[in-house]
């Protein structure tokens, strides 16, 4: 389902410029266009995806991004997703060339209502795109936050980019992915309905920040990916 969803979500791609934050519209303050009420939105920087803008109590500013796992047989029939249970998903890609990824930090604010059996996740990866197609990309650095249960007040996290052991290449693509269902997007498992995941103030850069959450060692496999990506983290 990961490949199908990523092909249906028009991944927003950009060329990197010299800026403190590599994420485009990470505060979600730019005007967004609703595509399907309560399900899909087209937002500058992120493109069309299964998310909405939420103006009720954002972390800061006027709105945040909200992903929700919905059950919608009609939408599944229309898009051929393979399941009536459709996870929230948003993706941004930025092309460039970075030699200092090891000094960068992935920062964001989040809250969530995640039923038992699934996990919300937001991650940033720097890859070497190698040849054509996503299946030969080599992931070089990664940072992420994975969340279960209920958190109804905003929390902020700053996670250092961690080198993937044994991965070699030139970082020329940054990808940020957020979803209300790790199961459906990364594990090939059914999504759990009614999961909700909010994010705001997403940034990637070298500016100093207090590390609130840190993964000491991360193993990603297979690398290059074959469509299902696994994470193995140790503290």
């Amino acid at each position: 389902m990961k490949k199908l969803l990523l092909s249906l979500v028009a991944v927003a791609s950009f060329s990197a410029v010299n800026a403190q934050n590599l994420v485009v519209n990470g505060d979600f303050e730019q005007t967004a266009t609703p595509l399907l009420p309560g399900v899909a939105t087209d937002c500058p920087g992120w493109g069309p995806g299964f998310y909405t803008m939420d103006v009720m109590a954002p972390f800061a500013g006027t709105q945040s991004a909200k992903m929700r796992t919905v059950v919608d047989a009609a939408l599944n029939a229309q898009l051929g997703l393979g399941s009536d249970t459709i996870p929230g998903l948003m993706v941004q890609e930025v092309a460039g060339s970075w030699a200092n990824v090891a000094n960068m930090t992935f920062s964001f604010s989040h809250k969530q209502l995640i039923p038992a059996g699934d996990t919300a996740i937001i991650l940033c990866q720097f890859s070497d795109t190698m040849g054509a197609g996503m299946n030969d990309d080599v992931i070089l650095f990664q940072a992420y936050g994975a969340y279960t249960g209920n958190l109804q007040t905003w929390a902020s996290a700053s996670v250092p980019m961690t080198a993937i052991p044994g991965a070699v290449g030139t970082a020329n693509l940054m990808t940020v992915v957020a979803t209300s269902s790790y199961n459906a997007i990364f594990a090939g498992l059914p999504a759990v309905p009614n999961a909700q995941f909010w994010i705001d103030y997403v940034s990637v850069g070298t500016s100093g920040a207090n590390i609130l959450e840190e993964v000491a060692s991360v193993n990603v496999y297979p690398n290059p990916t074959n469509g299902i990506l696994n994470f193995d983290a140790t503290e």
Side-chain angles (χ1 to χ4, degrees):
M1 189 173 187
K2 173 193 173 187
K3 286 185 180 178
L4 182 57
L5 282 172
L6 291 180
S7 67
L8 289 167
V9 174
V11 178
S13 299
F14 302 89
S15 295
V17 296
N18 292 325
Q20 187 173 6
N21 181 12
L22 298 180
V23 179
V24 178
N25 190 28
D27 59 5
F28 305 106
E29 291 301 296
Q30 297 185 37
T31 302
T33 303
L35 301 176
L36 294 171
V39 177
T41 298
D42 186 350
C43 175
W46 301 89
F50 297 117
Y51 63 95
T52 58
M53 295 292 102
D54 192 346
V55 299
M56 300 297 293
F59 173 75
T62 62
Q63 58 189 13
S64 61
K66 178 183 178 181
M67 288 147 281
R68 182 169 64 101
T69 301
V70 301
V71 178
D72 192 326
L75 183 60
N76 177 37
Q78 177 183 355
L79 299 180
L81 299 174
S83 173
D84 292 347
T85 306
I86 303 167
L89 173 67
M90 56 196 310
V91 184
Q92 182 176 135
E93 290 185 341
V94 178
S97 180
W98 302 276
N100 63 337
V101 179
N103 299 322
M104 293 185 183
T105 298
F106 181 41
S107 300
F108 52 88
S109 296
H110 67 93
K111 60 181 180 178
Q112 68 274 346
L113 297 172
I114 307 298
D118 213 339
T119 301
I121 188 168
I122 177 172
L123 65 90
C124 175
Q125 296 174 335
F126 283 83
S127 306
D128 188 332
T129 55
M130 305 297 284
M134 62 183 294
N135 285 344
D136 66 351
D137 293 0
V138 175
I139 301 169
L140 305 174
F141 293 87
Q142 178 172 272
Y144 70 90
Y147 305 101
T148 59
N150 297 342
L151 178 64
Q152 300 187 50
T153 57
W154 287 100
S156 297
S158 294
V159 189
M161 299 303 305
T162 301
I164 303 301
V168 178
T170 301
N172 57 25
L173 180 69
M174 182 189 75
T175 304
V176 178
V177 179
T179 178
S180 58
S181 176
Y182 173 87
N183 285 5
I185 302 303
F186 291 106
L189 300 172
V192 176
N194 301 317
Q196 300 178 75
F197 186 37
W198 292 260
I199 59 172
D200 206 351
Y201 274 70
V202 182
S203 67
V204 177
T206 56
S207 59
N210 293 326
I211 297 174
L212 302 180
E213 301 181 12
E214 180 175 355
V215 175
S217 176
V218 180
N219 182 34
V220 178
Y221 60 94
N223 192 12
T225 178
N226 60 5
I228 296 178
L229 196 61
N230 300 286
F231 301 90
D232 182 16
T234 58
E235 296 291 347

